[in-house]
Structures are given as C-alpha cells and as structure tokens.
Amino acid sequence: VKNLMDYSIGWADTSVKAGDNYKNSEITLLNKVDDLGSFTGPGLLSPFNPYEFHHSAEFIRGFSNCIPSLNINVGSYVLDSGSGYSWTTEWFMKMGVHAVGLEINRTYLDVGRRRMGLNQPHLIIADAENLPFADGVFDAILGFDAFHHIPDRPKAMRAFERVLKNIGRVVLVEPGGAHEMNAISQSVMQKYGTMEIGMELSDVQMYIDGI
C-alpha cells in the first residue's frame, strides 16, 4: 500500500524535481510486473535469448560496434551507465577491462550477480545524473540502450564529462528519435511510468553544448 501511495503522490506532487517521477518509476518498476520470474528470467542468460535469435544477434552486434569507438584496451576503466542485467559490464571484465556497471534499479543488478556468480565486475546502484565517482577516473563511458531513459540528459552528460579523463569517450547505443511512437514503447510508458523518449544526433549535440 505504501508503495502505491508513494507512486501516486509522486505523480501528483508538482513540487518534486522534474524527472524524479521517471526515476521513481525505474526504481520501483518491478513492483508493477505481473510475473516477476518471466520478466527477469532473460537476465540470467543475457544477452542470449534462445527464443529470440534476432534479439540476441542485435545485442551482440551492437556491443561489437561499440568496441572500436570506445578506444579502450586491457586495463582501461569503463563506466557502463544504465547497465541493466550488466552483461555488457561482464563482457568488459572478461576482456581485461576495469568495468563498473551503474544501474538505478537494484533488482536488475541482483539478477546480474546471480548470472555471473562470484566472478563479477563492480555493480553500483546510482543515478546517472549524479555519479558517485571522483573526477577524471574513466577512460570511456558506454550507454547501451539506456540513455533514452534519463530525464535530464544535459545534466547526465555533464556528469559523464566530469568523471572522464581529459581524453575520454562517451558511446551511446540508442533506438532513435521515433522510439516513443512505437506501440511497445507507449505501452511500457503507460504501464510502468518510465521514460522512453528517443533521440537523434542533433539532440545529442544539444546535450553536450556548453561542455
């Protein structure tokens, strides 16, 4: 009952900071899931899905496309922002990269830990707009199908810039500007209250203006 009240008050209270309602929805998303096992089950095999070949192939291809753009190597430090079930963080670790997975929802990370066992990278519950890291510690930042969930994207970009070394890169894998018009996206936004607003390159330019 308390969770339901907090959720309803959050949406009705205009005094809350813009975007906090989306973050609250991300944090409490699993409370709105009808079948938790079916929802989180794929996380135990991520990025593989034995029933969705093309889904698995797109994930793997997307990650492979990121590698050259990140400009990293063995021993590099990478922030995996919005890591979800953190298979990307895990793969970085297996490639000799010092990876930190950051996710606002604890349940996703718990599922990732179950999949990885004892050998796992650092997984941290935090907000991408307010990164809990010292300045200039990462060589690169990856946002894999995650940045479109962030309410205040210019603030997140400024946070990314702060924790990057002087020469560092941010790589985003995103579904595009029409993402929110997709029927599935609209259904997700209505049911879970999360942000599903896409972006184009011109939008990204606006996020980084002034940095």
Side-chain angles (χ1 to χ4, degrees), residues 119-211:
N119 292 322
Q120 56 185 264
H122 296 291
L123 303 179
I124 294 175
I125 303 164
D127 176 8
E129 294 175 16
N130 301 280
L131 297 176
F133 306 110
D135 296 353
V137 293
F138 292 104
D139 296 291
I141 297 174
L142 173 66
F144 194 95
D145 198 24
F147 201 76
H148 68 277
H149 295 300
I150 297 176
D152 193 336
R153 296 166 186 177
K155 184 177 181 181
M157 278 293 186
R158 291 192 296 272
F160 287 175
E161 190 271 343
R162 180 184 64 78
V163 301
L164 277 173
K165 296 179 181 178
N166 287 336
I167 300 177
R169 294 191 175 185
V170 175
V171 175
L172 306 177
V173 179
E174 288 297 325
H179 178 63
E180 64 266 25
M181 303 306 296
N182 183 287
I184 295 177
S185 298
Q186 293 188 5
S187 174
V188 168
M189 286 189 285
Q190 183 175 9
K191 181 174 183 178
Y192 300 115
T194 56
M195 177 171 277
E196 294 285 348
I197 308 300
M199 68 188 76
E200 300 291 348
L201 285 175
S202 57
D203 298 313
V204 177
Q205 182 61 54
M206 288 190 294
Y207 305 152
I208 65 176
D209 282 346
I211 295 178

Side-chain angles (χ1 to χ4, degrees), residues 18-123:
D20 281 357
N21 297 329
Y22 292 114
K23 294 179 188 179
N24 185 60
S25 293
E26 287 282 357
I27 293 168
T28 61
L29 185 145
L30 277 301
N31 294 339
K32 309 178 192 77
V33 172
D34 300 321
D35 184 352
L36 189 61
S38 297
F39 190 92
T40 61
L44 296 174
L45 294 175
S46 288
F48 305 106
N49 186 328
Y51 304 104
E52 293 286 347
F53 174 85
H54 294 290
H55 182 77
S56 303
E58 283 296 315
F59 270 4
I60 295 167
R61 181 169 62 180
F63 183 77
S64 299
N65 287 340
C66 292
I67 301 302
S69 298
L70 286 166
N71 194 32
I72 56 175
N73 212 320
V74 171
S76 295
Y77 288 82
V78 174
L79 173 61
D80 190 3
S81 179
S83 61
Y85 296 123
S86 302
W87 67 268
T88 43
T89 326
E90 180 183 8
W91 283 23
F92 279 134
M93 180 194 70
K94 290 180 176 179
M95 296 167 68
V97 174
H98 300 299
V100 176
L102 181 142
E103 174 60 50
I104 201 168
N105 186 304
R106 175 186 293 272
T107 305
Y108 288 134
L109 299 185
D110 287 342
V111 172
R113 287 189 175 96
R114 284 181 58 197
R115 184 189 69 249
M116 293 180 229
L118 295 177
N119 292 322
Q120 56 185 264
H122 296 291
L123 303 179

